[in-house]
Amino acid sequence: MSDDAIHIQGLGKRFGDKVAVEDLDLVVPRGSLHGLIGPNGAGKTTTIRMVMSILFPDAGRLSVLGKKSAVESKDRIGYLPEERGVYRKMKVGAFLSHMAGLKGVTSGVSQKIDDWLDRVELGDVKKKRCDELSKGMQQKIQFISSVIHEPELLILDEPFSGLDPVNMRLLRDLILDQHQKGVTVIFSTHVMIQAEQLCDHIVMIESGQKVLDNTLQEIRDRYDPRSVVFEPDAGIGPSAAEQHEGVESVRQVSPGVFEAALHDDADRHTIMANILEQTRARRVELRRPSLEDVFIEIVQERTGGDVDSDELRAQLQDRAAGPQEATP
Amino acid sequence: MNPGKIGRVAWREFASTVLTKGFIIGALLTPVLILVMIAIVTALTAFKSEPTISGEVAIVDPTGVIAERLTETLSPEALAEAARARAERIAETLKDVSPGASSFAGSIGPDAESFPTLRVATLPADTDQDAEKQRVREEANVEDGRLALLIVDEAALMPQPEGEARQDIQLFVRPKLKDDVIDTIRNAAVRVIRDERFRVAGYDRSVVGRLQDVNTGSARELTEDGGERASIGDFRNFIAYGFMMLMLIPTFVGAQYLLTNAIEEKSSRVVEILLSAVSPMELMTGKVLGQMCVGLVIMVIYGGMSMYALISFSLGDAITPLALVSMFVFFALAYFTFASFMAAVGSSVNELREAQSLIGPVMVPLMLPYGLGIFIADDPNSTFATIASFVPPISPFMMMLRVASTEPPPPWQVGLAVVISAVTCYVAVWCAAKVFRVGLLMYGKPPNFRTLIKWVRMA
């Protein structure tokens, strides 16, 4: 049995004709902070549910915290599902106490609840009913319920969805705090920038298959900057870059700002110098590819360029995407 | 499965149902309120009868004998004596069936009643009847005034003519005179007239009374063990039906709560958080057990009240130990069958409305015992009753009725019903667990029966 926090081999799951996860291998070492990224419907939640033994795989093997299934180590795992809620009519303190009890916490529960409520700036809600809290407050309560038993492994499925920027930052700090304490953290998101800001290891899933599994640094090293962003003076359009050798295409990214995509063998520095020479540009910079760019590139490679990159980008940026329908 | 976690889930399920205003008012306070109401009504009745009615009963009696006899019959002593005799007769009738009820009937004899103090005034036969009626009106609110005017027909002592009936007496009373006072006067007049008619016809009243009196005693049941006991006849069927209702109501209530609570957990999206701590099977088991305790609370409250009532009427021996044990065994089997199905339905839909089409097949078997029970209680060993007690899923209810009836079925039939119910229960829980596990995480289009069957195969 592996000593890794999670060890998955050849994992597969189908729902009727639909393949949700296919032949997935994944190793999450203890103490790491892994981001599981991919668009909605890629298979992230299904993978997580199989790790949690909420769903059972059709194929493959997995071990969680050295056990054959999460059932044997549920009390050592914290899980914040994507589909989350609270008992609306229960008081906050009673709800957290119930959850702590289910997770096997027997002593000092009340003190732990007080401490956690203070940390998330909700010190005065213990005696309030859950349905009296705002959605953001409820999400903090749900987060507490996933960490109150001091888990060794914390699995967070889309933890930031529905949070305002202030609470997003608070939650990010809490997650980093857990990571620094040595807790293994895995979180899934379809908003790739969140993973980029937080993780040291990225696993990318698309159509049920793993398409990338590297540290953030490795990804950055592998995907060189291959575009130049420039902001020419008013009146000068994309023509400032179009005619240069090595430039594949130019697109407008925002009013007055353009991005020139370069061929693989293009000389980036010469092209930048040429743009500067021809226009009185306010800004010319090499752009590092975002995880989103990397994802789109991988998908296009896999499909032979059949997928419209703008459509894919729109799909990834669709933050308001609702819960998946009729798919466990 | 972790018993501690199941216990926690069960406790939450129990507490969130029982410790709510709705349940406390509905299940606990209602019986208490009924008892309080009975006490209040009894107290009020006692209080109300405090002021004794007194006044005059005027009588116009052309026969010349009735008024005198009526004066004796309506005297307070005679009225008390008549009440005592009546109570004794009731007690005698009940003695064989229930000594408790008999002593109760004896105790509500003369002491519990209050008698009007009636003064009989005899008026001349040729008196102005309209003027006398007018006096009743005028003295309507006068204390100790005239209460009634009784006019006796001159032929009242003759037998009724063949053909058209003759009115023997006319009774006029003041407004709002209590019915029991009117009845007292009228019954006394009837009794006196009847006695006088016998006398005129030359019969001895006491002999006639004895001739009419045929003492049957109550029927005695010859039991299989060689003994005999008073038959309580249809009353035992009533008790058997009561036993079945004691199983049916908690099953119904528990199943209903499970459905709504499972839907609430799903629609509030708390379920997957729970599944991070407990397995679906632990969750379902805990919920079903929690609601079973709710059912037992209801059963103990209503069953306890019924038993107390039966024992206080010395009908306690109508409850056999076999019936009591059977009730708990059959309740458990019936409850698990229906409750697990309801939990499964609750887990598969998003709101109560969507559950309606799926719970029909559960509600019909739960309603059937209400109707069928009447026929089975009536003839617990008919072919129909025997077959019905082996048909799942109503078998536990039907067999319970038969076990608690006057003629309990042979033990092998009870055993067979237990086996059939246990197998049904096992299949229901097995299927429900599979649907529960899949259904909990399904959102979107509500499933139909075909989908549920697919889930059973899939999980």
Side-chain angles (χ1 to χ4, degrees):
Chain A
M1 203 59 64
S2 157
D3 193 44
D4 295 311
I6 294 174
H7 197 104
I8 293 174
Q9 228 180 339
L11 201 69
K13 180 77 187 173
R14 302 172 73 92
F15 296 112
D17 298 334
K18 189 175 179 284
V19 177
V21 175
E22 193 179 5
D23 197 23
L24 183 80
D25 296 333
L26 180 65
V27 174
V28 179
R30 285 184 191 254
S32 66
L33 205 171
H34 260 59
L36 201 56
I37 60 175
N40 286 331
K44 305 183 298 289
T45 298
T46 304
T47 305
I48 287 176
R49 283 177 174 171
M50 284 191 282
V51 169
M52 286 304 297
S53 294
I54 289 171
L55 292 176
F56 289 101
D58 301 331
R61 282 186 303 174
L62 60 85
S63 79
V64 184
L65 294 177
K67 305 274 183 188
K68 262 192 280 184
S69 96
V71 176
E72 294 168 47
S73 46
K74 267 194 165 156
D75 293 351
R76 293 156 62 204
I77 308 173
Y79 175 46
L80 184 67
E82 184 183 10
E83 294 289 347
R84 51 187 175 248
V86 287
Y87 281 116
R88 294 189 194 112
K89 288 179 182 149
M90 230 172 166
K91 293 208 165 110
V92 171
F95 172 70
L96 289 173
S97 171
H98 179 58
M99 290 311 301
L102 287 181
K103 294 279 194 180
V105 184
T106 49
S107 61
V109 178
S110 184
Q111 188 59 47
K112 282 192 174 115
I113 292 171
D114 289 341
D115 292 347
W116 267 108
L117 286 174
D118 284 341
R119 278 181 76 180
V120 300
E121 297 159 9
L122 289 177
D124 54 346
V125 304
K126 195 176 176 184
K127 292 205 163 67
K128 280 193 178 167
R129 263 171 41 159
C130 290
D131 59 1
E132 291 173 47
L133 306 186
S134 72
K135 197 162 176 261
M137 287 168 160
Q138 287 185 11
Q139 274 192 256
K140 290 184 190 175
I141 303 298
Q142 290 147 7
F143 178 77
I144 296 175
S145 80
S146 68
V147 292
I148 192 144
H149 57 299
E150 295 172 13
E152 295 166 42
L153 171 62
L154 184 57
I155 300 178
L156 310 164
D157 197 357
E158 300 278 0
F160 299 106
S161 69
L163 284 182
D164 62 50
V166 176
N167 283 318
M168 227 182 246
R169 196 171 306 134
L170 175 71
L171 184 60
R172 199 177 60 199
D173 291 346
L174 290 171
I175 294 171
L176 286 172
D177 198 32
Q178 291 288 314
H179 176 51
Q180 273 155 19
K181 276 167 63 185
V183 176
T184 312
V185 182
I186 301 175
F187 84 96
S188 85
T189 179
H190 70 284
V191 185
M192 302 201 180
I193 188 125
Q194 290 168 349
E196 221 165 345
Q197 289 168 347
L198 206 59
C199 297
D200 47 33
H201 198 110
I202 299 289
V203 176
M204 205 178 267
I205 293 181
E206 204 269 325
S207 303
Q209 290 179 322
K210 186 172 79 174
V211 292
L212 185 72
D213 183 357
N214 285 110
T215 63
L216 202 56
Q217 194 53 52
E218 283 168 348
I219 294 169
R220 281 177 179 156
D221 292 346
R222 191 163 128 201
Y223 293 88
D224 279 343
R226 263 180 299 155
S227 66
V228 173
V229 175
F230 63 99
E231 193 180 345
D233 266 352
I236 304 173
S239 58
E242 272 167 349
Q243 71 272 33
H244 293 300
E245 198 181 324
V247 172
E248 195 175 277
S249 62
V250 179
R251 70 184 183 105
Q252 186 167 348
V253 287
S254 59
V257 182
F258 301 90
E259 181 176 352
L262 312 182
H263 287 298
D264 287 352
D265 52 356
D267 180 349
R268 293 175 298 214
H269 297 103
T270 310
I271 291 170
M272 284 174 80
N274 287 343
I275 293 172
L276 263 177
E277 197 177 296
Q278 287 189 3
T279 67
R280 292 167 56 80
R282 293 174 195 155
R283 170 159 72 111
V284 179
E285 65 183 36
L286 263 178
R287 193 174 150 273
R288 186 194 293 281
S290 66
L291 279 178
E292 204 172 285
D293 300 325
V294 172
F295 178 77
I296 289 166
E297 190 178 325
I298 290 173
V299 172
Q300 284 192 320
E301 262 173 34
R302 281 162 57 85
T303 56
D306 278 355
V307 180
D308 180 357
S309 63
D310 287 340
E311 204 176 286
L312 208 55
R313 202 177 290 275
Q315 196 190 335
L316 290 174
Q317 286 166 354
D318 177 21
R319 290 164 192 230
Q324 291 156 258
E325 295 229 324
T327 305
Chain B
M1 293 231 276
N2 180 329
K5 291 187 179 187
I6 293 173
R8 276 184 183 275
V9 175
W11 168 248
R12 202 212 87 86
E13 190 76 20
F14 178 79
S16 71
T17 306
V18 170
L19 304 180
T20 57
K21 280 184 207 138
F23 185 86
I24 292 171
I25 292 170
L28 303 181
L29 279 186
T30 307
V32 173
L33 280 180
I34 291 171
L35 290 180
V36 170
M37 284 300 289
I38 291 172
I40 289 174
V41 169
T42 315
L44 278 180
T45 317
F47 180 73
K48 206 176 66 178
S49 62
E50 205 58 31
T52 330
I53 292 170
S54 67
E56 179 188 87
V57 177
I59 176 163
V60 178
D61 177 21
T63 69
V65 289
I66 291 170
E68 190 189 338
R69 288 288 317 283
L70 210 53
T71 312
E72 295 162 21
T73 317
L74 287 177
S75 74
E77 298 78 30
L79 288 178
E81 181 53 40
R84 191 172 299 121
R86 204 164 49 238
E88 273 172 15
R89 262 200 317 279
I90 295 170
E92 188 62 30
T93 317
L94 285 174
K95 195 171 70 187
D96 248 5
V97 180
S98 160
S102 165
S103 65
F104 178 73
S107 74
I108 57 163
D111 300 339
E113 289 182 40
S114 64
F115 306 102
T117 310
L118 302 173
R119 204 171 58 251
V120 178
T122 313
L123 305 176
D126 59 350
T127 193
D128 179 357
Q129 294 183 358
D130 289 335
E132 298 301 333
K133 282 185 201 167
Q134 187 57 28
R135 219 185 120 191
V136 177
R137 286 194 192 94
E138 284 166 4
E139 295 185 9
N141 296 315
V142 177
E143 202 178 326
D144 209 24
R146 180 174 288 184
L147 299 174
L149 171 67
L150 179 71
I151 300 171
V152 180
D153 191 90
E154 57 187 353
L157 298 186
M158 295 294 113
Q160 278 282 346
E162 284 179 23
E164 201 177 324
R166 175 187 69 228
Q167 188 170 355
D168 291 319
I169 56 168
Q170 297 176 66
L171 182 60
F172 302 96
V173 298
R174 65 158 65 164
K176 295 179 193 160
L177 185 64
K178 281 172 64 184
D179 280 351
D180 55 347
V181 178
I182 296 173
D183 288 343
T184 304
I185 299 170
R186 187 172 33 217
N187 292 342
V190 167
R191 213 159 47 242
V192 167
I193 291 172
R194 207 178 270 155
D195 285 356
E196 286 305 309
R197 280 182 187 171
F198 280 121
R199 194 181 53 76
V200 169
Y203 297 107
D204 183 339
R205 179 68 183 91
S206 67
V207 173
V208 173
R210 279 182 280 130
L211 282 172
Q212 280 183 321
D213 186 9
V214 180
N215 192 353
T216 62
S218 61
R220 314 268 316 156
E221 283 179 2
L222 297 175
T223 55
E224 279 176 15
D225 57 12
E228 60 180 82
R229 65 175 176 220
S231 168
I232 52 170
D234 291 348
F235 189 67
R236 188 175 263 279
N237 295 346
F238 179 73
I239 290 176
Y241 198 77
F243 265 112
M244 189 196 72
M245 292 303 284
L246 270 181
M247 279 173 60
L248 196 57
I249 291 170
T251 306
F252 195 84
V253 172
Q256 196 69 31
Y257 272 120
L258 263 177
L259 177 76
T260 48
N261 285 8
I263 292 173
E264 195 221 323
E265 273 173 10
K266 203 179 157 188
S267 65
S268 68
R269 304 281 199 258
V270 78
V271 71
E272 201 170 341
I273 291 196
L274 294 175
L275 289 183
S276 72
V278 295
S279 70
M281 198 58 196
E282 284 168 340
L283 183 62
M284 190 175 114
T285 311
K287 291 175 75 64
V288 169
L289 285 178
Q291 288 300 345
M292 186 178 173
C293 294
V294 176
L296 284 174
V297 166
I298 295 173
M299 207 167 170
V300 166
I301 292 172
Y302 286 91
M305 275 174 53
S306 314
M307 272 185 78
Y308 177 76
L310 287 176
I311 290 168
S312 63
F313 283 101
S314 294
L315 287 170
D317 61 350
I319 307 162
T320 59
L322 174 70
L324 268 184
V325 172
S326 303
M327 182 175 74
F328 284 104
V329 172
F330 283 123
F331 166 68
L333 291 171
Y335 171 79
F336 276 115
T337 308
F338 286 99
S340 54
F341 189 91
M342 287 296 239
V345 170
S347 73
S348 63
V349 298
N350 303 300
E351 49 185 298
L352 202 53
R353 196 164 41 85
E354 296 171 2
Q356 297 308 330
S357 61
L358 291 172
I359 58 174
V362 186
M363 284 304 162
V364 171
L366 269 179
M367 301 310 280
L368 269 180
Y370 284 103
L372 295 183
I374 296 166
F375 300 110
I376 291 177
D378 210 31
D379 189 359
N381 283 325
S382 64
T383 315
F384 173 70
T386 311
I387 293 171
S389 63
F390 296 135
V391 176
I394 57 169
S395 164
F397 301 112
M398 301 291 96
M399 188 48 90
M400 183 67 237
L401 256 179
R402 296 183 61 205
V403 169
S405 71
T406 35
E407 304 153 57
W412 71 265
Q413 289 196 3
V414 182
L416 182 60
V418 170
V419 171
I420 290 173
S421 305
V423 171
T424 312
C425 180
Y426 179 79
V427 173
V429 172
W430 186 80
C431 292
K434 300 211 155 203
V435 172
F436 192 78
R437 134 173 246 122
V438 178
L440 278 180
L441 301 173
M442 286 285 186
Y443 295 101
K445 203 178 117 204
N448 52 27
F449 254 100
R450 197 177 296 168
T451 323
L452 293 189
I453 292 166
K454 204 176 92 190
W455 290 355
V456 170
R457 290 197 185 142
M458 187 169 112

